[in-house]
Structures are given as C-alpha cells and as structure tokens.
Amino acid sequence: SAHAIDLEKGQLSTLDSVALSPSGSVVHGRYGELPADAVAGTPLEYLALLRMAAEGAAGLAKVSKQQGTLLVYGASQANGFAAVQLAVSEGHAVVGVVDAQHSCHADMVEYVKAMIPEPGTAVAEEYAMAKKNFADLVSSVSTGNEGLSCYDAKECLEDFKANLLAYAEKYPDTMPAAVDASKMKFLGMEKDKDQFRANMEAYLAQFPPGSPPMDKQQLETYFTSEQYEIFRTKFWEQTSSVISGDESHFFSPPHIVQDLMKTPEKKSDSLQDLAAFPKIPFSFTTVNNFYPAGTEQAAGGPVVGAIISVTPNLKTAAEAVNKAKTLREKAEALQFLTTAQKDAFRAASSVVAMAKEAGAPVITVGGTLPGFETAEPTDADVQTALSAMAIQDDGTTKLDYFVQAYRAGDFPFYADYAVHRATEVLAGPRQIVVTK
C-alpha cells in the first residue's frame, strides 16, 4: 500500500491511500476500486496523490476551453502542479506562482519553470507580491509583447561616439599602450627597478595602442551611420582572422575610425543587400531595424482564468480579511497576520486581480476561499488524472510528481518520521508518500 500524509491530523491518510487487494486489483481509499486498464502503467506512489491530481484537473475543467494564458497560484503544490502540467498538455500558456513554502528552494522554482514551455513561465511568490511587475509579466506572456523597442541607428551611433571620445581621452596615443597609468608605475624595491623597465616593453605589447586625437566636430561631420556600419564589418573580418590564427595585421578600432573619416569607404554589395541580414543569427545592422527571424516571442493568448491552490497561509489570511467589514478592520486584520500569511495573500491577490481584469474565472482547489468558486473533483476529473499519470511506452507522462517515498514496510518507524518531515515548518518541495 501507499499513503499520502494527512497534514491536518498529522498522520498517514486512510482516504488518500491505495492498496493492492488479494485479487490483484488496485483499491483507492477515497475512490474505491480503480479500473485495471487505467492504472496499469501508473506507479503506486502516484496513485496515493490521485485526489490532488484530480483537484488540478477539476480546476482546469472550470476555465475556458479556449487556449490562452492560465494563471496558477501554488504551482508547486500537488494540485497546482497537476493543474500546471495538464494545462500545458492542452496548449495553454501557463504563468505559475510558486508559493513561499517552496519558493525558498531555488531549484524547485526552476523545475516548475522548466516544465512550462515558452511563452509561459514560473516565478516565486516574492515576485508576484509586486503587482506591477506581475501584471507586466502576464501582459508580456499573453500578448507576446516583451516591451522591447527596436534600436535606432542614430542612438547606436551617438552612444558609440560618446564612448570613443571618452576612450580617446582616457588612453591617448601619447601613452605607450591603452593601459591605466598606474600599471606602469613602479612600486617595487629599488633593486628590481631595472628588471621592471626591461620587461615593460613586453608587458605593454599585450595591450592595444592608444587612440589618436579625436575631434568631436569632425566625428559628428564625417563619421556617419554608413561609415559606422562599415566599421562594424571590419570586426567580422578581424574575428575570422583571430579564429584562423592570422593576427599579423594591425588592428586598432580608434585608428580605423580615423582612417574612415579621412577616406570614407562605400558599402559593399553584401552590406547593401539588407535582406541577407535576417539569415545571420545573433547579428544586427544599425541601418535596418529588425529582430532576427525566429526570435519573436509567441503570444500566449488572453487570460482564460486563474487556479488558486489553497495553502494554509493563504486560507488563514483570506478568512481573517473576510471577517473584517470596514477597510480599517481589514488593514488591522492583515497587520496581525504573520509575514508568510500576508505575503501569500498579496501574491494570490495579484493573480486574482489579473484574472478579474480579463473577466476570467477564479477557481480554488484543495480548499475554499471566501467569494470564490471551488472545484470539486468529479469521476471525469479522476479519469483525466489517471490518464495523465499513466507512463506511456516511450517513458513519458503528462503528469509527473517529485516524490519522496519512505519504505515503512522495511522499517516501520519510517512512517512516523515521514509524518514529522511532512508537518514541519517549510517542509521540502517533494510529495511525501509512505509505502507499506
């Protein structure tokens, strides 16, 4: 048999358990005998979490069938984790919020994020507490607009000129190399001074030469966007030379700029053919604004709903606020909550606010919250969860769990230790299951 932990009673759960009968059938403590064909490829430990998985399926069934962006609070809880994975399998873009019980485990946040394909993502509860940041994130995922504007050729050129003038002032060609003066100052003992001077030439050879004088007015007049584009292509040529091992020629960017101002060059045919640039990944041209093909973020679609996994901290905070009638009383109620309870309320409120703004339903799973609809698992939801848990021939599943199993059949005291681990403050992110 396999048992989940009843956190309220602090003992092994008899309802969230599964056992093999003498006839070989699989009997669940809550749902009775399970169909043999439905559990043939499902680990026994997973079946102990069937109720939580069915809650996730029930929550997902309550939101719109239209594909879009789904928000999930408690994305690492057993029911929220199921909702995230089932939503992904149905083509939704998911924005998950890992509550504070597990957000302190950086790896768990990354695991949840890795299970959500782009444009969806997962963030820690602490991120969702900042409502503006979370709203911008949801908007970016749902619309595909990352808020990044295309660069402007004039802006790129002005930044380059400013940096070049600062470089020419910092490292003039009157210095033996483009290196800080402190590097050439002798700070050793007098007996080593001659050796220091003798090695200085070899030491400075590793640095580029200083910059020739740069006149700001001439730079503004003669160094145009076209010349800047030509200047950039010389770096491509230099890169090829470095890769091939040919470093025999002199290469100094400030001197190249000076030569281009004295004798302007014309763009080659390859540079004029701007249509060729999208074929070059991780490269850009300052004279044509575009993002390389295939780098655009896909839109997740409109927000279709929010699923809230009711955690103990969130339940306590929501009930305390709901009992208060006036705004002052609500503020006082929040003031007397623990930091963890207040943070849970703030993060969940951000999720709820985004769903309400989109006119989408807010569904709670694993408990009730005042003013929100609760999804209770039906037989269809149980079948959906069983189907998602089944391991396919290629070894994949729609629904995975991070399980920590305690084999109490070998060592009976493991059952008590498992209960202790599951009920301690900030229990780990794995779902604890006891087998006998």
Side-chain angles (χ1 to χ4, degrees):
S1 64
H3 302 256
I5 308 298
D6 188 331
L7 298 179
E8 293 184 359
K9 296 181 180 180
Q11 63 184 30
L12 298 186
S13 176
T14 55
L15 292 177
D16 293 320
S17 65
V18 63
L20 293 175
S21 69
S23 63
S25 60
V26 178
V27 180
H28 195 277
R30 187 181 298 270
Y31 302 114
E33 185 173 334
L34 301 176
D37 57 339
V39 299
T42 306
L44 199 65
E45 292 83 356
Y46 275 23
L47 294 176
L49 305 172
L50 181 57
R51 188 255 307 173
M52 299 78 156
E55 287 176 348
L60 184 60
K62 292 284 187 180
V63 302
S64 173
K65 295 301 181 183
Q66 174 189 358
Q67 289 187 358
T69 302
L70 179 69
L71 314 180
V72 180
Y73 174 82
S76 61
Q77 299 295 331
N79 44 26
F81 202 41
V84 166
Q85 295 178 74
L86 291 174
V88 166
S89 69
E90 293 187 5
H92 292 288
V94 178
V95 178
V97 178
V98 179
D99 65 280
Q101 184 178 357
H102 297 156
S103 65
C104 54
H105 298 268
D107 288 344
M108 189 60 188
V109 178
E110 292 301 318
Y111 292 153
V112 176
K113 186 184 298 184
M115 288 185 167
I116 303 174
E118 293 185 355
T121 187
V123 295
E125 179 179 277
E126 291 75 12
Y127 185 94
M129 286 162 52
K131 288 182 169 55
K132 182 63 169 64
N133 288 349
F134 187 71
D136 290 343
L137 174 64
V138 173
S139 175
S140 171
V141 171
S142 62
T143 64
N145 181 9
E146 297 180 285
L148 302 176
S149 59
C150 283
Y151 52 85
D152 179 82
K154 183 178 179 181
E155 292 176 351
C156 291
L157 182 58
E158 291 303 319
D159 284 346
F160 173 78
K161 290 177 179 178
N163 292 333
L164 178 60
L165 291 171
Y167 181 89
E169 181 180 356
K170 177 73 173 179
Y171 304 113
D173 57 2
T174 55
M175 298 176 63
V179 61
D180 193 88
S182 62
K183 299 292 184 180
M184 295 181 285
K185 186 176 181 180
F186 178 68
L187 299 175
M189 301 179 67
E190 188 64 27
K191 65 182 182 65
D192 299 323
K193 192 171 184 178
D194 292 341
Q195 191 69 18
F196 176 79
R197 296 302 179 191
N199 292 326
M200 179 56 66
E201 183 177 350
Y203 171 73
L204 294 178
Q206 66 182 312
F207 297 102
S211 169
M214 291 290 171
D215 183 85
K216 183 176 181 180
Q217 189 60 42
Q218 289 186 354
L219 198 61
E220 293 291 340
T221 304
Y222 298 110
F223 197 71
T224 62
S225 297
E226 181 177 314
Q227 296 303 306
Y228 180 42
E229 187 71 10
I230 295 171
F231 168 81
R232 290 185 63 257
T233 62
K234 295 185 182 296
F235 274 89
W236 297 353
E237 298 169 1
Q238 172 66 5
T239 300
S240 300
S241 298
V242 171
I243 293 175
S244 63
D246 178 18
E247 299 184 48
S248 58
H249 62 287
F250 176 75
F251 185 83
S252 173
H255 289 86
I256 293 175
V257 173
Q258 187 182 56
D259 292 342
L260 288 173
M261 287 194 295
K262 291 180 179 178
T263 310
E265 297 181 13
K266 292 184 177 181
K267 289 191 297 184
S268 64
D269 293 337
S270 61
L271 282 178
Q272 292 174 357
D273 183 14
L274 298 178
F277 277 91
K279 302 176 184 177
I280 305 175
F282 310 112
S283 179
F284 71 97
T285 166
T286 59
V287 295
N288 184 30
N289 294 339
F290 71 92
Y291 286 118
T295 61
E296 304 86 356
Q297 177 174 315
V303 175
V304 296
I307 296 176
I308 307 294
S309 176
V310 182
T311 63
N313 285 332
L314 178 58
K315 185 177 180 64
T316 301
E319 290 178 348
V321 173
N322 185 64
K323 291 177 182 177
K325 303 303 179 185
T326 65
L327 185 61
R328 178 187 177 89
E329 290 174 348
K330 292 180 185 295
E332 290 175 346
L334 285 170
Q335 186 64 31
F336 288 99
L337 295 174
T338 64
T339 299
Q341 292 166 349
K342 286 187 286 188
D343 290 350
F345 187 80
R346 290 170 60 189
S349 295
S350 294
V351 175
V352 170
M354 293 306 301
K356 286 186 173 181
E357 182 180 318
V362 178
I363 309 297
T364 64
V365 295
T368 60
L369 292 179
F372 298 106
E373 180 182 0
T374 301
E376 295 293 344
T378 64
D379 291 343
D381 298 322
V382 174
Q383 293 303 317
T384 299
L386 284 173
S387 175
M389 284 179 170
I391 299 177
Q392 305 303 315
D393 293 339
D394 60 357
T396 62
T397 62
K398 291 183 181 178
L399 177 55
D400 285 309
Y401 276 113
F402 293 98
V403 174
Q404 185 168 3
Y406 288 83
R407 310 299 182 186
D410 298 327
F411 304 97
F413 64 88
Y414 273 11
D416 294 333
Y417 183 62
V419 172
H420 164 71
R421 288 295 309 274
T423 54
E424 65 182 350
V425 178
L426 292 180
R430 297 179 181 272
Q431 304 302 320
I432 295 178
V433 176
V434 177
T435 61
K436 293 185 177 181

